[in-house]
Amino acid sequence: MGRPPRAPKKVYKKKAAEENKEGDNKAAKAKAVLTRGRFLKGKHKVWTTATFRRPKTLAQSRTPKYLRHSTLKAGTINKYSTIEYPLVGESASKLMEDQNTLVFIVNLKATKPDIKRTFKERFNVDIRKVNTLIRPDGKKKAFITLKGEQAAVELGSKIGII
Amino acid sequence: MVKASVLRKKNEEQLNKDLEEFRKNLAELKFNKASASQQMKVSKLRTVRKDIARVLTVLNTMKKDEAREKYAKAKYQPLDLRAKKTRKIRRSMTKHQRRATTLKERKRAENFPQRTFAVMQ
């Protein structure tokens, strides 16, 4: 473009060699080795990025000499603990008839897929969807919509919700 | 109502089955209470809950006893199987450590014991 053309690399290297004068370099090197020892020139690692990241070192897994807890206690979470009891009332019965939905109070820690699974296991019905909310009194309410016409009313009368 | 003495004669599998049964029972009772369609004995709820607690107690104590047997001769015992006492006592010196003396002390004690003298009247 606007720059003058550069000389090829060969020329530059030759120039450098001439300037450094091989003889002097060797003497200097020998002197350095004698005064400071053999392992002068460390392998210089090439940094390709601007940031320094902690290098990955050996990570060993634990091999404890003793257990901290000798036994696993029989847990309180079981297939009957997710769904606690059904809600009965005007709004609940309305949902049952119109939306094919049943309303339950559910364990606070239960998730929608959990609820779906336990419900299916317990009552053998197909579920379309589960909606949840947490009431102001701290309990979780689940709206379980069933598949199939009138399935909610059937199941409701079987459970005893009417 | 189950008795704990009866439960202790059962093995783990049977106890788990009982537990399952009681839990199912409890769940049904809770449903009945909520639906209030029939008159129900609310006292039943309490008895079933306590039954579940009894089964769990027996189960856990069984497991703990098994663990104790298993680790009785181990060099390092699991923490919950070691003596509880108090934190301070656990960290203090053992009787053996307190009584320990150097060879030099022992030799001195043996060769130069504390003498008692009495003035003869």
Side-chain angles (χ1 to χ4, degrees), chain A residues 67 70 74 78-79 122 159-160, chain B residues 20 23 31 35 71 78 80:
Chain A
L67 294 172
S70 58
N78 56 81
K79 70 177 179 184
R122 200 161 156 189
I159 298 175
Chain B
E20 173 91 19
R23 283 194 166 138
F31 264 47
S35 43
Y71 293 107
D80 54 340

Side-chain angles (χ1 to χ4, degrees), chain A residues 59-68, chain B residues 76:
Chain A
Q60 293 179 321
S61 52
R62 291 193 182 198
T63 50
K65 290 218 164 95
Y66 56 87
L67 294 172
R68 270 63 190 164
Chain B
Y76 297 111

